[in-house]
Amino acid sequence: MPLKIAIQKSGRLYDDSISLLNDCGLKVDNLKDQLKAKVRRFDAEILFLRNSDIPKYLEDGVADLAIIGENTLIEKGANVETLLNLGFSKCRLSIAFPKEFNYKGPESLAGKRIATSYPNTLTSFLKKHGIDADIHQISGSVEIAPNIGLADAVCDLVSSGSTLFQNGLEECEVVLRSQACLAANRKSITEKSALITELTSRIKSVLKARKNRYILFNIPNEKVEEASSILPVLKSPTVLPLMEEGWSSLHSVINEDDFWDVINQLKACGAQGILVIPIEKMVI
Ligand code: AMP
């Protein structure tokens, strides 16, 4: 039986989901307007589903795996297992008030009308803080609710904050932080363990590669040791002799977060001809 992988059929997660699967060697043909597509050279099928339906389909075993926002899984209370965080679609579910409001903490929410598409997550947050508020569930364009008099505040997904800003709202409280994740049906984890292990290990290799860069540069021989100590290496750097007497070429892998710090230190150490190259996969 093929591994059934659910992804969003349209929306924010779609492009990143397809590109992650592609990078893992799961190439899908004829994507447009399909509900289901076969994968070439991997025993899997992709199911293109509505985002909000995915947790239920996953829980029921219609899909074995899904790429989905953690926020959606939590809101739907899905009994599934999160296997990996995928590092994209990072966002937070936040409470925002019109910017003139003087927010002092969760107690400021007491008795307020809050518009949201995440009633369950908001209810748990209010309960945790012992606050009684009036939740207005709406399915889209939550941010306009205060402007049209429907609510005093909103509880909505935020990434850059520009939508809130454009609507005169200010983020006051983060209820939940979320990103896309790979989630699994609990039974499928054992029943399809070989395929799931293979796919998760490919995803880990791709995610690791995306965070790292291959770096190579020339360095005088007497500086090789000093330059090596600057590099946060995988094992130890590769050192190759150059044709020019007294010089070596040093190769290593660096994390993109350390990138500019490391480059500046290497330059100060005498590195020349620094090349930085993206890595396609880092097999773990
Ligand atoms: P959508 O395309 O609106 O159905 O959103 C799908 C998912 O994208 C959401 O459930 C979140 O996990 C994620 N997402 C990331 N950033 C945002 C954002 N600023 N607004 C809405 N959704 C976001």
Side-chain angles (χ1 to χ4, degrees):
M1 282 290 275
L3 189 64
K4 288 168 287 167
I5 309 169
I7 66 167
Q8 199 189 38
K9 74 174 172 199
S10 63
R12 286 170 202 264
L13 295 169
Y14 177 82
D15 286 341
D16 285 324
S17 305
I18 288 290
S19 106
L20 179 66
L21 291 172
N22 258 311
D23 288 352
C24 292
L26 276 67
K27 310 267 189 247
V28 189
D29 291 321
N30 302 322
L31 300 176
K32 280 273 158 263
D33 303 323
Q34 288 192 102
L35 278 177
K36 204 156 101 166
K38 272 213 80 60
V39 172
R40 278 182 274 153
R41 290 196 296 280
F42 193 90
D43 191 14
E45 265 172 16
I46 309 296
L47 309 179
F48 301 96
L49 302 174
R50 274 169 55 122
N51 196 53
S52 55
D53 292 339
I54 290 177
K56 185 81 180 108
Y57 282 128
L58 189 61
E59 188 178 303
D60 292 349
V62 174
D64 302 302
L65 291 179
I67 297 179
I68 179 85
E70 285 173 296
N71 56 306
T72 310
L73 287 180
I74 291 170
E75 174 63 21
K76 301 285 178 187
N79 181 15
V80 297
E81 188 157 326
T82 299
L83 301 180
L84 292 173
N85 284 332
L86 301 176
F88 57 85
S89 282
K90 288 193 176 167
C91 59
R92 47 202 190 272
L93 182 68
S94 290
I95 291 169
F97 272 92
K99 58 181 183 305
E100 51 284 353
F101 185 80
N102 183 15
Y103 186 77
K104 294 205 174 82
E107 62 275 15
S108 298
L109 298 167
K112 293 286 189 288
R113 295 167 304 158
I114 312 170
T116 190
S117 311
Y118 290 83
N120 299 327
T121 315
L122 178 57
T123 301
S124 323
F125 175 84
L126 293 172
K127 210 169 154 195
K128 189 175 104 192
H129 290 279
I131 305 288
D132 214 5
D134 188 3
I135 298 177
H136 282 248
Q137 183 177 351
I138 45 180
S139 54
S141 302
V142 172
E143 64 281 355
I144 61 166
N147 284 324
I148 58 172
L150 186 74
D152 304 303
V154 301
C155 175
D156 200 9
L157 291 179
V158 186
S159 42
S160 69
S162 62
T163 306
L164 291 183
F165 182 78
Q166 281 158 17
N167 287 279
L169 300 172
E170 196 169 272
E171 188 176 1
C172 302
E173 187 85 55
V174 176
V175 171
L176 178 86
R177 289 186 190 276
S178 172
Q179 61 177 290
C181 67
L182 182 75
N185 171 275
R186 293 195 188 278
K187 263 197 184 161
S188 306
I189 293 175
T190 39
E191 287 174 2
K192 296 194 178 170
S193 79
L195 284 168
I196 292 178
T197 307
E198 172 62 23
L199 182 60
T200 49
S201 106
R202 288 190 192 187
I203 292 176
K204 283 183 198 160
S205 301
V206 169
L207 296 180
K208 193 160 182 210
R210 284 180 182 174
K211 282 191 152 188
N212 287 282
R213 302 286 178 271
Y214 192 82
I215 182 170
L216 58 151
F217 55 87
N218 299 331
I219 189 95
N221 286 346
E222 67 275 12
K223 294 279 188 180
V224 165
E225 231 167 88
E226 189 182 333
S228 304
S229 70
I230 296 167
L231 291 165
V233 288
L234 276 180
K235 270 193 177 159
S236 83
T238 305
V239 184
L240 300 170
L242 289 190
M243 283 275 274
E244 191 179 331
E245 189 86 3
W247 281 77
S248 294
S249 168
L250 217 137
H251 298 212
S252 190
V253 170
I254 59 174
N255 190 292
E256 67 169 0
D257 298 336
D258 305 328
F259 183 77
W260 290 111
D261 279 350
V262 170
I263 297 287
N264 289 333
Q265 288 179 58
L266 289 174
K267 281 206 276 192
C269 174
Q272 291 182 7
I274 303 175
L275 297 181
V276 179
I277 303 165
I279 302 172
E280 208 180 285
K281 313 272 188 302
M282 281 179 77
V283 180
I284 310 161

